[in-house]
Structures are given as C-alpha cells and as structure tokens.
Amino acid sequence: MTTALLNKEFNQTKNHKVYSINKAVVDKYFKRIIGGERVSGRSIVQDVIDQKSSFAPSAHIQSRLVKNYYDDLTSEDQAILSNCVILAITFHKLVLGNSTELGDKAWSHQEGQ
C-alpha cells in the first residue's frame, strides 16, 4: 500500500489530505492477475523503458539509468523495483490524475489534522 499526505492548501487549511492505494488496485489497473496469480511487473517496466507502454505513455525512464543500474540488479531486485515503479505510475494516474478508470473506490481519501 502507498499512502501520501497531499494538500497544496495546507498552509491555509492546516488539514492533511491522506491518499492511499493498495496492491490489488495496481494489479487490477495493469491486469497483472492471471489465473489467480500475480505476474511479474518487469515486462511492464520494460515497456515503459522502451516507451511502448499504453498504461503510462508519459512516463519516461532514462536508458542510462537502466543500463547503469536496473540491468545490474538480481532478478528478485528487478521484480521489487518493477513493483515500485508500477505502484508509482498507478498512484500518479489514479490519485494525482484524478482518473476514474477503476471506479471511485480504487483509492481512498481522508481529511484529517
């Protein structure tokens, strides 16, 4: 789950806005569940790297970073980093982009102090 405090009017309102999104939403957004199992996100991240992603056409990862870092990681670490990248993309699209692609309940929002 990813949780963030976002409120550009915080200085005036003194209220936090808490946004949360969980892994199930990410899996649904990227259609990662096949036969009840979650598939790897590495191919999704590779599509983002190659700028072939229909899910995140505006996301860009510099090829220099891939060559110098991602490619040198173990398979397990690539999977972990891939999950982080697709979680960030989903959060950006659904919460910051105010998308309703998965319905209003895809992410939660609470106001508090």
Side-chain angles (χ1 to χ4, degrees), residues 4-30:
L5 297 173
L6 302 171
N7 186 358
K8 62 183 176 182
E9 292 98 20
F10 180 77
N11 288 336
Q12 291 82 25
T13 66
K14 302 296 185 218
N15 284 324
H16 292 292
K17 292 183 180 179
V18 181
Y19 295 86
S20 300
I21 190 168
N22 67 35
K23 288 181 184 180
V25 171
V26 176
D27 293 340
K28 186 175 179 181
Y29 183 72
F30 281 99

Side-chain angles (χ1 to χ4, degrees), residues 78-91:
Q78 282 182 349
I80 291 168
L81 185 58
S82 295
N83 288 335
C84 293
V85 168
I86 63 174
L87 178 61
I89 290 169
T90 307
F91 189 86

Side-chain angles (χ1 to χ4, degrees), residues 4-85:
L5 297 173
L6 302 171
N7 186 358
K8 62 183 176 182
E9 292 98 20
F10 180 77
N11 288 336
Q12 291 82 25
T13 66
K14 302 296 185 218
N15 284 324
H16 292 292
K17 292 183 180 179
V18 181
Y19 295 86
S20 300
I21 190 168
N22 67 35
K23 288 181 184 180
V25 171
V26 176
D27 293 340
K28 186 175 179 181
Y29 183 72
F30 281 99
K31 299 173 179 69
R32 291 180 61 199
I33 302 296
I34 297 176
E37 297 289 324
R38 178 184 298 137
V39 297
S40 172
R42 286 183 278 175
S43 63
I44 296 167
V45 171
Q46 190 61 52
D47 286 347
V48 171
I49 291 166
D50 296 339
Q51 297 182 336
K52 297 178 187 174
S53 175
S54 61
F55 293 105
S58 62
H60 177 69
I61 300 173
Q62 294 181 1
S63 59
R64 174 177 47 90
L65 292 175
V66 175
K67 185 175 181 175
N68 293 339
Y69 184 72
Y70 187 78
D71 289 343
D72 290 339
L73 295 174
T74 65
S75 178
E76 294 82 16
D77 288 340
Q78 282 182 349
I80 291 168
L81 185 58
S82 295
N83 288 335
C84 293
V85 168

